[in-house]
Amino acid sequence: MLITYSAFDLTISSELGIGELDLFNDSRCVSSDVLISRAEFENPISQKIWFQSPSINQAIIKIDAQCLIEISSGRSINVKYGANSNQALINLYLLGSAMGCILHQRGLIPLHISTVYIDGRAWGFTAPSGIGKSTLAARLHHFGGCPMVSDDVAALYLIDGQPYVAGGPPLMKLQPDFAALFTDASVSPIPHPESNKLKVQPKNAFIQGIVPLAGIVVLERDDTQARGGLEIEPLRGAEAFMSAREAIYRYEMGLAMSSQAHMFSKVSDLATHVPFYRGKIGEWSIEDGSVHESSIVERLASVHKTF
């Protein structure tokens, strides 16, 4: 039995139940953009490395010795697993790296951003792990009243030269103390040994479909900033180009499935059509509460008038 979901502005029909995704609720009969099938294997997986791309538009992801995910042509994902496989861990890779490959194969640009909706447009935050992009987006949602668009991965669409973004799974990955504030959410551990965050699925917090993208803020920690504050400035030229390169989700996978020229074109499109900003962010903890969120929201809402 196939269940049809919606994510990244794509319809996804799956033989696997994926509780992290929203069901596709359009009553019209539509064909699916992506099909997820499943199969069991009997012998241990022999693949030695975790990612391979045998040919253009083909990829294989290995999860330990318990699962293989085969992705092809931007339309097909085949999940092979054993009786003792961890379904939650499979879903983590399925909705992250595997869907990242799908977006690359479809010619879209997957972005490693956490995104909120402010004054009719989406603002994305990107940064190396641990800087606080998910935390900042969740702060603006929880304390500032901004709907979420994405956390971790989103898809960029260029329509008539204008940038739009569509979010993936409607969930956030947060530290336990902050996650505890979301009392109306479903909260569970992230099934990865290197993560101490929790998976938070709040009700009615995420916008579905595509929305205009105002810009991407590249966060960096700055202890001279007020606690919880954010100061932004535009990035141009080489800095904007390199920031665009770093903002692409699973760039190395896209490169393995295509070419240097193809990925250079993607980075150029991103840097050309999306404004990039440096965001200097101060330290923040749950004890700081909601001091700076309203001013950050006002700053981002008015930034296109400033620069």
Side-chain angles (χ1 to χ4, degrees):
M1 175 181 176
L2 290 176
I3 305 172
T4 302
Y5 302 96
S6 177
F8 305 108
D9 202 43
L10 302 173
T11 55
I12 303 168
S13 292
S14 175
E15 294 180 351
L16 291 169
I18 309 174
E20 294 89 344
L21 291 180
D22 286 328
L23 292 171
F24 182 70
N25 292 319
D26 195 324
S27 59
R28 296 170 298 174
C29 181
V30 296
S31 60
S32 296
D33 298 303
V34 180
L35 175 64
I36 300 175
S37 58
R38 64 180 182 181
E40 294 187 5
F41 63 83
E42 298 179 357
N43 299 318
I45 297 171
S46 59
Q47 182 180 344
K48 295 182 180 180
I49 59 176
W50 87 279
F51 175 79
Q52 289 181 346
S53 179
S55 63
I56 293 176
N57 280 335
Q58 285 190 311
I60 301 173
I61 295 170
K62 173 188 174 185
I63 307 173
D64 297 328
Q66 60 176 302
C67 178
L68 274 181
I69 302 176
E70 300 171 334
I71 310 105
S72 62
S73 302
R75 295 185 177 277
S76 172
I77 299 176
N78 186 29
V79 182
K80 296 180 179 180
Y81 59 94
N84 297 321
S85 296
N86 183 333
Q87 185 63 55
L89 184 63
I90 291 173
N91 284 4
L92 181 69
Y93 281 87
L94 185 63
L95 298 175
S97 297
M99 283 305 302
C101 286
I102 285 286
L103 296 176
H104 276 296
Q105 291 174 357
R106 295 182 71 89
L108 298 171
I109 302 178
L111 298 174
H112 193 197
I113 56 175
S114 297
T115 318
V116 293
Y117 190 71
I118 298 174
D119 197 26
R121 303 183 302 168
W123 277 96
F125 305 106
T126 188
S129 178
I131 298 297
K133 65 181 184 297
S134 293
T135 299
L136 178 57
R139 283 172 52 198
L140 295 180
H141 166 65
H142 186 72
F143 295 125
C146 302
M148 295 287 298
V149 178
S150 72
D151 184 37
D152 199 34
V153 186
L156 179 74
Y157 288 79
L158 295 175
I159 303 174
D160 295 329
Q162 299 300 310
Y164 293 79
V165 69
L171 58 86
M172 296 177 281
K173 299 174 183 178
L174 303 174
Q175 295 293 340
D177 56 350
F178 194 15
L181 295 181
F182 292 82
T183 55
D184 66 338
S186 171
V187 180
S188 58
I190 293 176
H192 196 286
E194 296 181 5
S195 176
N196 63 346
K197 290 184 176 182
L198 296 177
K199 182 173 64 177
V200 180
Q201 295 179 264
K203 299 177 181 178
N204 303 317
F206 283 75
I207 293 178
Q208 292 192 10
I210 61 174
V211 296
L213 179 61
I216 295 176
V217 181
V218 183
L219 298 178
E220 59 183 48
R221 190 63 54 78
D222 185 348
D223 294 338
T224 66
Q225 295 292 319
R227 288 190 64 86
L230 176 68
E231 183 62 36
I232 68 172
E233 60 185 19
L235 293 173
R236 298 186 175 92
E239 281 190 303
F241 186 89
M242 292 306 299
S243 295
R245 158 67 176 80
E246 294 301 318
I248 293 180
Y249 180 75
R250 297 304 191 195
Y251 177 93
E252 72 285 356
M253 289 184 174
L255 179 61
M257 293 183 292
S258 57
S259 65
Q260 289 278 5
H262 179 78
M263 294 308 296
F264 182 86
S265 177
K266 279 193 174 185
V267 175
S268 297
D269 283 344
L270 179 56
T272 299
H273 293 94
V274 178
F276 275 80
Y277 303 86
R278 175 182 291 109
K280 297 181 179 180
I281 189 170
E283 288 279 357
W284 183 86
S285 67
I286 195 65
E287 290 79 14
D288 295 316
S290 56
V291 175
H292 293 281
E293 283 71 22
S294 60
S295 62
I296 293 175
V297 171
E298 292 175 3
R299 178 78 169 110
L300 290 172
S302 63
V303 71
H304 66 288
K305 302 175 184 177
T306 305
F307 299 124

